[in-house]
Amino acid sequence: MKTKGKVGLTKDQVLRKTGELFDLRHAVNLGSNMLDPPDFYWDRDDLENLYRQMCTYLNISRRTKVINEKLNHCYALVEFFRDHLNNAKSVRLELWIIALIMVEVVFEFLHFLESYRNRELLFASRPEATASPPSASAEVADVLIRR
């Protein structure tokens, strides 16, 4: 994205990456028994104490937090890509709507021109045609005289 200026992933690929991140987070936090002592150590207090010391020595909880922070960063990046793709789709739809509205305006303008031309032809074909169309009172007077 930095060099080309656009996202090189499709929406399906972004969703797959999101699923992979959730799967990895599940494996780190819930799938592994590194955060809680396994059931094996419940009956053996001396081994459970040794297990806890080993976890403290290896900084398991700190490492898990670091991995979760990195996963949060990756998830934020994938969310950015997903939002960008959704925004691009919304812009495309808005442009199609604007184009359809413009087509409708053109058709209405052509309809208006046709009705105006028909009105001009109607008044031009009358024998008593004048420069301006007759008013309603002149038409009423014309009807009364013909009776």
Side-chain angles (χ1 to χ4, degrees), residues 11-140:
K11 191 173 182 179
D12 290 337
Q13 290 172 332
V14 170
L15 287 175
R16 277 191 216 108
K17 291 295 179 190
T18 303
E20 289 175 16
L21 288 173
F22 280 127
D23 187 42
L24 186 58
R25 179 178 298 235
H26 178 269
V28 167
N29 292 316
L30 301 174
S32 67
N33 289 328
M34 298 302 283
L35 299 177
D36 295 325
D39 295 342
F40 173 77
Y41 296 119
W42 284 4
D43 299 0
R44 299 161 185 91
D45 290 333
D46 56 333
L47 292 178
E48 183 178 356
N49 189 21
L50 184 63
Y51 178 81
R52 290 188 188 274
Q53 288 175 0
M54 181 193 64
C55 288
T56 304
Y57 178 75
L58 295 176
N59 290 325
I60 298 295
S61 62
R62 183 172 170 239
R63 291 173 192 239
T64 304
K65 286 179 185 177
V66 169
I67 289 174
N68 280 325
E69 288 174 9
K70 289 180 180 183
L71 288 173
N72 285 338
H73 178 71
C74 292
Y75 183 72
L77 185 63
V78 169
E79 281 293 313
F80 170 76
F81 288 149
R82 187 172 62 183
D83 290 343
H84 179 74
L85 290 172
N86 286 339
N87 188 24
K89 184 176 181 180
S90 296
V91 167
R92 248 189 335 266
L93 288 174
E94 288 173 7
L95 288 175
W96 274 105
I97 290 170
I98 289 170
L100 290 173
I101 290 171
M102 292 300 294
V103 167
E104 179 71 22
V105 166
V106 167
F107 279 132
E108 282 299 317
F109 182 71
L110 292 174
H111 178 70
F112 174 75
L113 285 178
E114 182 183 359
S115 65
Y116 181 74
R117 194 175 98 214
N118 288 341
R119 194 173 107 199
E120 287 293 320
L121 290 174
L122 177 69
F123 288 126
S125 65
R126 295 174 100 185
E128 63 270 354
T130 60
S132 65
S135 64
S137 59
E139 287 180 7
V140 171

